[in-house]
Amino acid sequence: MQVYADNAATTKISQAALQAMMPAFETYYGNPSSLHSVGQEAKEVLENARERMAACIGCEPREIYFTSGGSEADNQAILSAARLGEKKGKKHIISTAFEHHAVLHVLQKLEKEGFEVTYLDVKTNHNITAQDVKNAIRPETCLVTVMYANNEIGSILPISEIGAVCKEAGILFHTDAVQAAGHLAIDVKKQNIDMLSLSAHKFHGPKGVGVLYCRRGIALTNVIDGGAQERGKRAGTENLPAICGMVAALEESLAHLEENTKKVTALRDKLISGLSRIPHCALNGDPKNRLSGNVSFCFEGIEGESLLLLLDMKGVQASSGSACTSGSLDPSHVLLAIGRVHDVAHGSLRLSLSEYNTEEEIDHILTVVPEVVAYLRSISPVWRDLQTGKRTYIL
Ligand SMILES: *Cc1c(COP(=O)(O)O)cnc(C)c1O
């Protein structure tokens, strides 16, 4: 049995998305900037996609900017807000310690330029509160950038409450909603979100395409200069097939949001309760406000990388921390941020489910993971030291 349980890294494209892409390759292949009829037909398809995307998140079509994905949208949102803040002498940003690298690395760049960043602590409940944001606001704060849901540990952040706090304080609010889009309802106006990033390949759309929503009246700074596409704010010939696939995937996900959430939550809870029986383990992430597809554990005395490779041999594709961290020896910054010590953080496992997973697959995971953990512990010197009392258990 093959069980794909790495949907937070990327998802399989849906049939609806694939079908929606074909006409853009075969029929509407014109350049939307061309003045002739083939170009103008493509332009119409593009603007129709923009309207439908806007309807999915509750904004106006002209507030939608198509990008190459979540990373680009995060970069542009944060850099734009920073440039606007700078002009007013405001160089303080509020974020969290467990953001995606697409946010954190931009913030680190800005810190080198003299910006100050407050990284909110995420040790309590593996989450933050709107009050945490409120407490961190200073007169010179120009931006709050806080993710909607965490990609590694699944915590869902109180975005509506944070939006209200930012609105009251008159501070721009950006959210990296890459893990939320297609999985949680989004209404940028009701939630007082000024800027939002999303990415198609996390909700069964194609890779290499995403959206930056930017509220009307906020001046974007270009990250990619060139032609006048996307209201002059993002140059480059539009990836129309990918854009059509993304919109179809999001509409499909939203049309089935409730039933998918119900189904995936049941699978997740079965998996969490089964894996919790493994001795000396801990669940990562907010136990209550949690993505329906996220299961994240730390197992003491083992290496997550070995666990992954053995699981793959037994047909289960999972992840330990984030895909971007694999290949490096440092444990995930997210697990360190929630207070896991290095040794424990190294023994992490993330299983991320989608509506394509089945109960039989969950049963397979529940057979395989405890076996592999027990095997790895049986050959682990750290585990031997824990058992003989030379080391003390942390979990
Ligand atoms: C995947 C992901 C991104 C990056 O999106 P890409 O489209 O792959 O660039 C950013 N933020 C979060 C939370 C993600 O999960």
Side-chain angles (χ1 to χ4, degrees), residues 69-71 74 100 147 151 176 178-179 199 201-202:
S71 299
D74 283 341
H100 191 273
M147 70 201 320
N151 48 305
D176 173 342
V178 174
Q179 291 291 330
S199 175
H201 75 102
K202 305 289 176 76

Side-chain angles (χ1 to χ4, degrees), residues 364-376:
H364 182 66
I365 298 175
L366 283 174
T367 312
V368 164
V369 173
E371 281 173 11
V372 174
V373 170
Y375 168 71
L376 287 173

Side-chain angles (χ1 to χ4, degrees), residues 11-25 52 200-201 203-207 240-253 356:
T11 56
K12 179 178 176 174
I13 195 162
S14 72
Q15 276 306 313
L18 204 52
Q19 291 311 314
M21 292 173 79
M22 296 315 283
F25 284 120
R52 288 160 56 196
H201 75 102
F203 50 80
H204 306 289
K207 293 164 190 36
L240 194 55
I243 290 167
C244 292
M246 167 167 65
V247 172
L250 188 56
E251 284 177 343
E252 189 187 32
S253 295
Y356 295 0

Side-chain angles (χ1 to χ4, degrees), residues 52-292:
R52 288 160 56 196
M53 176 54 72
C56 286
I57 63 168
C59 69
E60 293 172 31
R62 60 170 162 171
E63 296 174 313
I64 295 288
Y65 299 84
F66 292 119
T67 69
S68 67
S71 299
E72 186 190 326
D74 283 341
N75 272 256
Q76 190 167 14
I78 294 165
L79 286 173
S80 300
R83 296 300 164 238
L84 288 170
E86 198 164 43
K87 275 192 206 152
K88 298 184 196 154
K90 294 183 172 189
K91 294 180 77 171
H92 175 242
I93 298 172
I94 299 169
S95 190
T96 76
F98 65 4
E99 295 297 312
H100 191 273
H101 282 144
V103 167
L104 285 183
H105 289 172
V106 182
L107 293 177
Q108 285 160 10
K109 222 189 235 177
L110 289 169
E111 282 180 295
K112 285 196 190 121
E113 283 183 22
F115 278 81
E116 247 191 283
V117 182
T118 300
Y119 298 97
L120 297 174
D121 187 283
V122 289
K123 289 192 187 73
T124 311
N125 296 325
H126 302 174
N127 209 333
I128 61 162
T129 63
Q131 189 63 43
D132 294 337
V133 173
K134 201 168 182 172
N135 294 344
I137 291 175
R138 303 183 196 165
E140 65 276 16
T141 306
C142 63
L143 170 70
V144 171
T145 175
V146 159
M147 70 201 320
Y148 204 126
N150 185 276
N151 48 305
E152 290 189 37
I153 59 171
S155 301
I156 299 172
L157 284 71
I159 292 305
S160 301
E161 288 90 329
I162 296 168
V165 164
C166 293
K167 189 181 180 193
E168 197 194 327
I171 297 168
L172 286 182
F173 175 37
H174 165 253
T175 184
D176 173 342
V178 174
Q179 291 291 330
H183 307 284
L184 297 166
I186 295 174
D187 187 323
V188 291
K189 300 292 160 187
K190 271 199 200 129
Q191 296 176 292
N192 294 306
I193 298 167
D194 296 310
M195 291 189 274
L196 174 143
S197 315
L198 62 82
S199 175
H201 75 102
K202 305 289 176 76
F203 50 80
H204 306 289
K207 293 164 190 36
V209 65
V211 162
L212 170 58
Y213 149 76
C214 181
R215 183 168 58 75
R216 189 155 46 96
I218 300 172
L220 284 176
T221 301
N222 286 56
V223 172
I224 299 180
D225 290 302
Q229 291 91 352
E230 301 300 298
R231 303 168 63 80
K233 298 303 177 189
R234 200 282 181 181
T237 303
E238 301 84 348
N239 187 349
L240 194 55
I243 290 167
C244 292
M246 167 167 65
V247 172
L250 188 56
E251 284 177 343
E252 189 187 32
S253 295
L254 295 180
H256 301 281
L257 190 64
E258 243 177 86
E259 58 184 279
N260 287 347
T261 304
K262 210 171 139 198
K263 179 191 168 180
V264 181
T265 302
L267 297 178
R268 176 199 71 188
D269 289 346
K270 180 172 179 174
L271 200 45
I272 289 179
S273 76
L275 294 179
S276 299
R277 291 197 205 104
I278 296 175
H280 304 286
C281 75
L283 180 70
N284 301 313
D286 191 322
K288 278 213 281 297
N289 299 310
R290 183 178 195 93
L291 285 172
S292 57

